[in-house]
Amino acid sequence: VQLQAFGGGLVQPGGPLRLSCAASGSIFRINAMGWYRQAPGKQRELVAHITDGGSTNYASSVKGRFTISRDNAKNTVDLQMNSLKPEDTAVYYCNACIVVLTPAPLIDHYWGQGTQVTVSS
């Protein structure tokens, strides 16, 4: 199983950016998915989370500006980020709780490789 994230880059304050993450491999089912971020010198923190049923929750710092969504048919999770601020600068990681059946039944958390988001003028 692999998670691959796309969409990071440099954006001006106030601008939008969209991150995407695709899961691939011998996936039976994906439960919750989420986006985390880690700024230099800080711990990794949860940004947004979405259940397989579509329920969402957000860090207070991004609520109202970021929107998480998923496509269960494509095994993808997106993060639409609007009104970006310099303090949103970080490496963003996608995460998914995935059930596989081969070579043996297993449920585990998988991480994408991280994508850099820099908000600067």
Side-chain angles (χ1 to χ4, degrees):
V1 174
Q2 286 189 331
L3 267 63
Q4 190 165 9
F6 307 90
L10 174 64
V11 61
Q12 291 189 342
L17 199 63
R18 188 176 185 89
L19 304 181
S20 296
C21 177
S24 61
S26 299
I27 297 169
F28 175 70
R29 185 178 71 243
I30 301 179
N31 295 332
M33 305 182 84
W35 286 94
Y36 291 71
R37 67 187 181 187
Q38 187 166 18
K42 295 188 177 181
Q43 289 189 330
R44 190 174 298 189
E45 63 175 356
L46 175 67
V47 175
H49 175 272
I50 184 167
T51 69
D52 53 352
S55 297
T56 60
N57 70 282
Y58 297 90
S60 57
S61 60
V62 308
K63 199 171 293 185
R65 299 187 297 122
F66 290 11
T67 302
I68 188 171
S69 60
R70 64 188 285 171
D71 185 327
N72 292 331
K74 296 181 179 179
N75 291 338
T76 60
V77 60
D78 291 351
L79 185 69
Q80 177 64 45
M81 304 183 292
N82 296 327
S83 302
L84 281 160
K85 304 175 181 180
E87 52 262 43
D88 294 317
T89 296
V91 178
Y92 284 69
Y93 298 89
C94 57
N95 175 274
C97 180
I98 298 175
V99 180
V100 301
L101 298 182
T102 60
L106 175 69
I107 180 168
D108 204 354
H109 285 268
Y110 295 83
W111 291 92
Q113 81 280 15
T115 185
Q116 176 70 47
V117 172
T118 302
V119 184
S120 175
S121 55

